[in-house]
Amino acid sequence: VTLSFRPAALVEGSYYSFRLTCDGVTADVTVTTNANPVGGSLTIVPATGYSLETSFTATSPLWRDVDGDYPLTYAFAILPPVGTQFRTATWVQIPSFTEQWFVDAVYLPQGWTNLSYALPVQCTVYDVLSGVASINVNATVLPMRSNGGSNATSGTASSQQVLSSLMALIANASAASSPLRLQQVVTVVAALVRRDLSILTSKSSSTSGGVPQEMPLLTSSQLLTLAGLLAAN
């Protein structure tokens, strides 16, 4: 006799008793389902900063597992803008050491312009039996600031300044940082590239009902230059 259940049909952290009776003989068995990690929090410091300029730290302490299924492992991710469709965006994992409940000194891409530059950040926690829990918070990540270039009056960087800053970040991480730091920088820059490619290939016009739509940070030729650098790393 085989008894099977659909995934997630049983409640986590619960006891279930089963009885089988055959020809007057009865057998009982009690099983316990794995409990997911609980009790953690997620904090981003600082709460507000600038894209690829501010160094952010995400901490997710105080997680515990009532079953004692340790060690816990951690995965941090961001939901960067791709076009303007929040519902179709994909989480991008930030490279980190899975045994650490924090990821420090990371740069983040610009947040969603239609959400006041909010950038969702997530921490997912696993126990050794694949019990899982997650928590989300928003960081506010503003566009890159101008360094006194042609867009100084608006306070945002020109496309050439953006390209120069991105290339410098990758070069510095490649030359002086650990492989993990380079992976983090490349991940964030790649997220910005995907964002701009989505906007450039969108069929929507630059205005919709008189409301300006989001414009790419980089031109198509600059994206090609940056894509080549990413591929080399």
Side-chain angles (χ1 to χ4, degrees), residues 87-145:
R87 295 181 179 179
T88 58
T90 302
W91 288 97
V92 175
Q93 187 167 338
I94 301 174
S96 62
F97 295 112
T98 58
E99 69 275 12
Q100 292 182 345
W101 47 267
F102 62 89
V103 56
D104 63 339
V106 295
Y107 296 110
L108 296 177
Q110 175 182 316
W112 293 78
T113 56
N114 53 341
L115 296 175
S116 300
Y117 298 107
L119 179 71
V121 180
Q122 180 182 79
C123 179
T124 304
V125 187
Y126 304 87
D127 66 22
V128 293
L129 296 180
S130 299
V132 60
S134 63
I135 184 171
N136 299 357
V137 299
N138 287 339
T140 300
V141 186
L142 303 170
M144 294 180 67
R145 291 183 290 189

Side-chain angles (χ1 to χ4, degrees), residues 187-199:
T187 296
V188 172
V189 173
L192 277 173
V193 170
R194 285 194 293 270
R195 165 195 179 275
D196 277 20
L197 283 175
S198 174
I199 297 172

